[in-house]
Amino acid sequence: MSFTSLPTKIQSLLFLVFLIIYLVTLMGNSLIILVTLADPMLHSPMYFFLRNLSFLEISFNLVIVPKMLRTLLAQDTTISFLGCATQMYFFFFFGVAECFLLATMAYDRYVAICSPLHYPVLMNQRTCTKLAAASWFPGFPVATVQTTWLFSFPFCTTNKVNHFFCDSPPVLRLVCADTALFEIYAIVGTILVVMIPCLLILSSYTRIAAAILKIPSAKGKHKAFSTCSSHLLVVSLFYVSSSLTYFRPKSNNSPESKKLLSLSYTIVTPMLNPIIYSLRNNEVKNALSRTFHRALGLKNHNP
């Protein structure tokens, strides 16, 4: 695993930084889940999907960060064959699920803004549950096929994964067999997994933008845009960082630069998501305030 070539002081500093980010991620996303469950004002489809996203971000972090922290703290750079396969499986599963969940959240915003009168009927609890399940499901076949296929190859004597977690490209470099067919599948699969949700998101926001432009008042436009600005920012962070990681030309894609880019969407983005939704969403801010007031036994002055 990675980071072992760095000086001990730098590794200690990285451990502290990643530990703080990890704890902020766990606490921030857990707080989003608890607040959206506890506050009746947030019992709506938008926050149902936000809870799913927060749970996904916590799970995504648990797959990667604990092992990385152990590597930095105890200099334990080893990972078992089964451990590597398991980490890769859940990395693919949660990564694919996030792509489709972000698309589902965009569709929810589209229905809310473009068909507000029909929104409660179209996005009822049963529909939301089905959409959430449909977002999580694609991760199973993608993770199962790609992980099983990759780990069925014979590996060379060199078993050093030049990365901080078991991602497909660095593990693939250790294979001693013809991997051309697998690489074609991996490229096509990645493009489909990224592009299908991306196109759905673009389609939703194109219609949302058209609907917002038709609103006569500036206040109405601002209110409509504010309901989806947090999601749009989260989508941008996720897709920009992951696209730069997997779709850059190989000539410009050194292992070290890929590690830095991987850090952004595996560690930093999950930390930023609850912060973005807390700071840019008045409903979440008010709900947090009400929850803290109730916990402290104080009178709540927020609407």
Side-chain angles (χ1 to χ4, degrees):
M1 304 295 278
S2 190
F3 299 122
T4 54
S5 60
L6 298 173
T8 304
K9 289 184 178 180
I10 300 297
Q11 291 188 48
S12 300
L13 178 61
L14 286 175
F15 171 80
L16 182 60
V17 171
F18 293 151
L19 178 62
I20 292 172
I21 292 175
Y22 179 57
L23 294 176
V24 170
T25 300
L26 293 183
M27 290 187 293
N29 284 288
S30 297
L31 189 60
I32 291 289
I33 293 172
L34 292 174
V35 168
T36 55
L37 282 172
D39 197 298
M41 298 291 288
L42 301 185
H43 290 177
S44 66
M46 175 179 173
Y47 298 105
F48 169 75
F49 294 123
L50 180 57
R51 282 196 297 275
N52 274 263
L53 180 64
S54 293
F55 177 76
L56 190 151
E57 299 291 25
I58 291 172
S59 304
F60 198 75
N61 250 235
L62 289 172
V63 171
I64 295 170
V65 181
K67 174 57 184 173
M68 185 174 65
L69 292 175
R70 181 181 172 186
T71 299
L72 289 168
L73 181 65
Q75 300 296 305
D76 180 11
T77 60
T78 60
I79 186 168
S80 67
F81 184 86
L82 180 61
C84 187
T86 303
Q87 187 182 60
M88 183 182 291
Y89 179 90
F90 285 105
F91 169 73
F92 285 141
F93 172 71
F94 290 122
V96 173
E98 181 158 4
C99 288
F100 284 93
L101 184 58
L102 290 173
T104 299
M105 294 173 77
Y107 174 73
D108 170 68
R109 291 299 81 211
Y110 156 70
V111 177
I113 293 172
C114 298
S115 303
L117 297 179
H118 299 99
Y119 181 66
V121 177
L122 293 174
M123 298 299 291
N124 57 57
Q125 186 175 0
R126 184 177 181 182
T127 301
C128 289
T129 302
K130 287 181 178 180
L131 286 171
S135 301
W136 285 89
F137 176 75
F140 284 109
V142 173
T144 300
V145 172
Q146 189 147 331
T147 305
T148 304
W149 192 353
L150 178 52
F151 279 86
S152 67
F153 286 119
F155 288 89
C156 307
T157 53
T158 303
N159 57 0
K160 183 179 179 181
V161 179
N162 189 18
H163 208 4
F164 61 88
F165 70 97
C166 288
D167 196 3
S168 179
V171 173
L172 190 62
R173 295 190 189 101
L174 307 180
V175 172
C176 288
D178 183 7
T179 60
L181 187 59
F182 174 83
E183 291 182 55
I184 293 171
Y185 160 80
I187 292 170
V188 172
T190 302
I191 291 173
L192 290 176
V193 163
V194 172
M195 290 305 298
I196 290 175
C198 189
L199 290 173
L200 292 173
I201 292 169
L202 288 174
S203 175
S204 295
Y205 275 107
T206 299
R207 298 184 181 189
I208 288 171
I212 290 176
L213 290 174
K214 292 178 182 178
I215 298 174
S217 67
K219 185 179 179 180
K221 289 179 180 178
H222 175 75
K223 184 178 179 181
F225 178 74
S226 65
T227 63
C228 54
S229 59
S230 298
H231 175 258
L232 194 56
L233 185 54
V234 167
V235 167
S236 300
L237 285 171
F238 178 78
Y239 272 98
V240 168
S241 57
S242 58
S243 296
L244 286 174
T245 302
Y246 292 103
F247 295 119
R248 293 174 70 199
K250 286 189 176 182
S251 57
N252 300 327
N253 199 12
S254 68
E256 299 307 316
S257 66
K258 185 170 182 180
K259 290 173 195 174
L260 291 174
L261 288 168
S262 296
L263 282 172
S264 64
Y265 74 88
T266 57
I267 297 175
V268 178
T269 300
M271 177 193 68
L272 293 177
N273 287 354
I275 296 174
I276 291 169
Y277 273 100
S278 299
L279 295 179
R280 296 184 62 86
N281 189 304
N282 287 328
E283 288 183 335
V284 174
K285 284 192 287 187
N286 291 336
L288 285 169
S289 178
R290 288 191 294 269
T291 301
F292 284 130
H293 276 80
R294 283 197 297 268
L296 296 173
L298 301 174
K299 187 176 180 180
N300 183 21
H301 296 288
N302 284 319

